[in-house]
Amino acid sequence: MLDLSFGANTPLCMSITTQRTLRAMTSSSSSSPTQDSMEQQKPQQTQRLQIYPNSNNGVTPFWREKYEREAKRYWDVFYKRHKDKFFKDRHYLDKEWGDYFSGEGRKVIVEVGCGAGNTIFPVIASYPDAFVYACDFSPRAIELVKTHEDFKESRVRAFVSDLTVDDLCKEILPSSVDIVTMPNGYVLFRDYATGDLAQERFSGKDQKISDNFYVRGDGTRAYYFSNEFLTNLFRENGFAVDKLHVYCKQVENRSRELIMNRRWVQAVFRFTEDLNSSSSNEAEGNRSGSSEAKQNSSNGSLNDTAIDLSEGVAFDMFGALPSSDHEIIEIKLRGWDFKIRVLSKEYQHTCKSTGLMLWESARLMASVLAENPDIVAGKRVLELGSGCGGICSMIAAKHADLVVATDGDALALDLLAKNVSSNLEPPLLTKLITKRLEWGNNDHIEAIKEGNKIGFDVIIGTDVTYIPEAILPLFASARKLITSDASNRHGNVPALILCHIFRRVDEPSLLSAASQFGFRLVDKWPAGVPNESSQGIISKWFSDNGLLNDLPSTALNILLFRLE
């Protein structure tokens, strides 16, 4: 008996090694092969056969390759966070597949992608004679299996293995899986089906890797199977279809007042030496008879336990992050101690809002302001795209007359307000205001002007220049909000200060956009601006204070603009 779980915990590509291993473990034999024969079955070089096509939309090629390359790490982080609490124990297996587990003699079962053991332990509890080989490519998942209170080495052999690369025959003898009572081995398969609600929600986000293949918010991946794809995949590797059904079930979440349409495919595949006409006809009959989704009302074997609907799965379906989606980071710089709540690292790479994390440029600019309070002293300060951290604005509030911290993302702005209130006390708290500002949005600009009609003396932006399409609206908004006085009431010239790492927008493009709205570059760091009388302003910010020895990144740049 071979219990194979793709998708939930296994990278979606099948190697030649995997194909041969499945055939080897489930083929009929009356005796164990010799070591020589085992060696002959090993391919000289593992070839990876991609079972999903490339896609030109959704996740970028960089991230697609990163998810594939670091899949093990993402699942390790997943199990570190959730342990064995994410999925419910699969007690429905006895009802769904009991006929395959029962019978005389000891059943030898292999589970691929065993996770924390939510399938293993219900099976060995129900079938005292069963022995399970359990593998997963996450070392942390295997450790959870081995430390489970019901784990016994006499019943379970758990080991780390990547099905797409490793040869399972190194751990399991070929032809040893359930060879006593059944002449042919079976693959029991259950996974997400195309059209599931979770897939529909993924489709509206930039989380698509390829057709029916998506990345979750924590970097783990999910594939949604169609009958045709699944049938062809197994038939091409010597397996006939015994059973194949797509099940639909409506699950109600009363607390959220939502009805969830779940779809999953459940199948049984049988290895056969020869896909003769009779087995092919049988498989075709099964496919045609099961292509129509079977509803809960028409299938008495389905019940509430048939869906692995833990709270974690519900969060995954609806795109909502769990209650612990945020983490608190402690920042100590230049005499300031902050506790900033940001989006947890495991969710940052798929989050569309870059404002829910703290960037290196903000740390540098905050340090500069802490060591050089005269930059904002007695002035009206505006921060563009401050994100959830707001550390630049909070430090500026100590010496400025007024500070307005802005962001265009509602979630970032809400978190910003909470961070400000938890880190500042009056009178500093009364000098710092948070406002919604989408660059180029005249309504937002006018709302900010209502509280400061004469404009701002200093405008600060940290890592706000990475999206090419946003550069013109950025400078347009800055031009409307900066004070128009050539020399303000303190004799200081209004300034726009940008701190960033050059990514998708280079410096010439940035300067060209700035000039369209009357901004001229007067100094930059670390290179300086040739033939500018004002050059050296920024370098003085780093004099005799140790800032150069404490740079978050050597790729950071600071640009100082003034009005023409």
Side-chain angles (χ1 to χ4, degrees):
M1 190 84 65
L2 180 64
D3 173 22
L4 177 64
S5 300
F6 274 127
N9 203 17
T10 308
L12 262 179
C13 60
M14 181 179 287
S15 66
I16 303 300
T17 298
T18 301
Q19 300 167 19
R20 294 177 180 174
T21 299
L22 295 184
R23 291 197 293 268
M25 289 192 301
T26 57
S27 62
S28 174
S29 175
S30 57
S31 61
S32 298
T34 64
Q35 183 67 28
D36 290 341
S37 64
M38 290 177 61
E39 292 296 330
Q40 291 174 2
Q41 294 180 34
K42 297 178 183 177
Q44 295 297 317
Q45 184 177 1
T46 300
Q47 296 176 316
R48 295 172 73 85
L49 173 66
Q50 297 291 341
I51 62 174
Y52 52 82
N54 292 328
S55 174
N56 293 325
N57 52 18
V59 176
T60 64
F62 170 83
W63 282 105
R64 185 160 59 239
E65 293 171 7
K66 181 179 176 65
Y67 294 136
E68 177 71 21
R69 184 175 62 254
E70 301 183 13
K72 179 187 296 186
R73 182 179 69 83
Y74 284 121
W75 277 108
D76 255 3
V77 173
F78 174 89
Y79 286 113
K80 178 182 180 181
R81 181 184 183 90
H82 297 289
K83 301 188 185 302
D84 61 350
K85 307 300 182 184
F86 191 84
F87 298 106
K88 291 182 178 180
D89 285 348
R90 299 176 173 102
H91 296 289
Y92 57 79
L93 294 176
D94 181 43
K95 179 173 290 186
E96 297 293 322
W97 286 329
D99 292 344
Y100 296 93
F101 294 117
S102 60
E104 297 181 359
R106 192 186 201 195
K107 296 295 184 294
V108 178
I109 303 165
V110 177
E111 188 184 13
V112 176
C114 64
N118 300 95
T119 294
I120 299 169
F121 298 109
V123 167
I124 63 174
S126 300
Y127 301 96
D129 293 331
F131 181 85
V132 180
Y133 288 101
C135 67
D136 198 289
F137 71 169
S138 166
R140 196 177 296 273
I142 296 301
E143 185 62 26
L144 289 172
V145 171
K146 290 183 175 180
T147 56
H148 193 281
E149 60 181 357
D150 294 330
F151 176 80
K152 296 179 181 178
E153 290 186 351
S154 60
R155 304 292 309 281
V156 179
R157 165 82 170 93
F159 57 96
V160 177
S161 181
D162 183 349
L163 181 67
T164 68
V165 176
D166 300 333
D167 186 354
L168 290 184
C169 289
K170 293 181 179 180
E171 300 285 346
I172 308 169
L173 285 176
S175 306
S176 66
V177 177
D178 205 22
I179 64 174
V180 177
T181 59
M182 293 185 182
N184 291 311
Y186 288 86
V187 175
L188 308 182
F189 186 97
R190 179 184 174 101
D191 215 321
Y192 300 118
T194 53
D196 182 75
L197 178 61
Q199 182 185 20
E200 294 179 359
R201 291 196 61 84
F202 279 135
S203 299
K205 305 177 182 179
D206 294 331
Q207 293 176 242
K208 183 177 180 180
I209 297 176
S210 63
D211 290 344
N212 300 324
F213 194 30
Y214 301 86
V215 61
R216 300 184 181 95
D218 59 3
T220 61
R221 298 173 295 174
Y223 192 88
Y224 296 84
F225 291 89
S226 66
N227 284 12
E228 181 181 4
F229 173 83
L230 198 57
T231 299
N232 291 338
L233 177 66
F234 276 88
R235 283 181 59 82
E236 289 171 1
N237 291 282
F239 289 86
V241 181
D242 265 28
K243 296 179 181 178
L244 180 60
H245 301 288
V246 173
Y247 292 97
C248 297
K249 184 178 178 68
Q250 283 193 339
V251 180
E252 181 179 2
N253 188 310
R254 293 184 178 88
S255 64
R256 294 172 179 263
E257 298 182 350
L258 296 170
I259 300 296
M260 303 171 281
N261 294 307
R262 302 310 314 269
R263 288 170 58 87
W264 70 95
V265 59
Q266 185 167 302
V268 177
F269 300 97
R270 172 173 46 84
F271 176 73
T272 175
E273 294 287 355
D274 181 25
L275 284 175
N276 53 43
S277 58
S278 61
S279 63
S280 297
N281 291 337
E282 179 185 1
E284 290 296 331
N286 274 295
R287 284 203 305 280
S288 61
S290 61
S291 59
E292 182 178 353
K294 298 200 172 184
Q295 305 295 331
N296 183 32
S297 59
S298 63
N299 192 324
S301 68
L302 294 177
N303 50 55
D304 288 339
T305 63
I307 298 180
D308 309 326
L309 191 62
S310 68
E311 191 66 17
V313 175
F315 284 126
D316 177 35
M317 289 166 53
F318 291 102
L321 298 175
S323 58
S324 56
D325 59 333
H326 294 138
E327 62 185 19
I328 295 178
I329 59 175
E330 295 187 12
I331 303 173
K332 297 180 182 294
L333 53 84
R334 308 294 158 173
W336 291 77
D337 293 335
F338 295 106
K339 291 185 178 180
I340 304 297
R341 186 177 295 273
V342 299
L343 184 67
S344 297
K345 288 183 178 179
E346 60 189 283
Y347 294 103
Q348 289 181 3
H349 53 274
T350 53
C351 179
K352 290 184 178 180
S353 175
T354 55
L356 294 176
M357 54 204 81
L358 192 67
W359 295 89
E360 295 169 326
S361 56
R363 295 174 185 264
L364 175 60
M365 197 64 223
S367 296
V368 168
L369 293 176
E371 290 291 343
N372 301 273
D374 57 298
I375 296 175
V376 296
K379 302 174 185 178
R380 297 152 301 192
V381 180
L382 173 72
E383 184 176 7
L384 299 173
S386 60
C388 66
I391 57 175
C392 293
S393 291
M394 286 190 275
I395 290 178
K398 183 176 181 179
H399 300 282
D401 284 355
L402 170 70
V403 178
V404 178
T406 67
D407 202 276
D409 181 78
L411 292 177
L413 198 63
D414 179 64
L415 204 53
L416 171 64
K418 294 177 180 177
N419 282 328
V420 168
S421 62
S422 63
N423 283 278
L424 292 186
E425 296 180 353
L428 298 187
L429 188 59
T430 59
K431 294 197 295 181
L432 201 164
I433 303 170
T434 59
K435 286 284 190 178
R436 178 82 178 271
L437 175 58
E438 293 177 356
W439 303 332
N441 187 313
N442 288 325
D443 291 337
H444 292 173
I445 292 173
E446 291 303 319
I448 293 173
K449 282 184 173 182
E450 285 294 320
N452 179 30
K453 297 185 181 298
I454 59 177
F456 294 90
D457 307 311
V458 177
I459 298 180
I460 298 171
T462 59
D463 257 320
V464 292
T465 59
Y466 52 89
I467 299 177
E469 296 78 13
I471 300 303
L472 290 177
L474 165 67
F475 283 107
S477 300
R479 185 66 182 86
K480 291 181 179 179
L481 289 167
I482 199 167
T483 181
S484 58
D485 294 338
S487 180
N488 62 23
R489 55 197 169 109
H490 296 286
N492 295 313
V493 180
L496 169 63
I497 305 171
L498 299 180
C499 179
H500 51 241
I501 294 175
F502 285 109
R503 294 183 174 90
R504 297 168 58 191
V505 180
D506 57 22
E507 184 176 311
S509 300
L510 200 63
L511 299 184
S512 174
S515 66
Q516 294 183 45
F517 296 94
F519 288 101
R520 177 174 59 89
L521 181 68
V522 296
D523 197 12
K524 66 180 180 178
W525 177 89
V529 178
N531 304 319
E532 273 289 343
S533 58
S534 56
Q535 65 176 320
I537 294 177
I538 302 179
S539 62
K540 292 178 182 178
W541 297 346
F542 292 87
S543 298
D544 303 324
N545 52 28
L547 281 176
L548 291 176
N549 300 323
D550 194 28
L551 292 176
S553 170
T554 56
L556 285 164
N557 294 265
I558 300 178
L559 304 181
L560 174 62
F561 295 90
R562 288 177 178 165
L563 293 176
E564 295 282 3

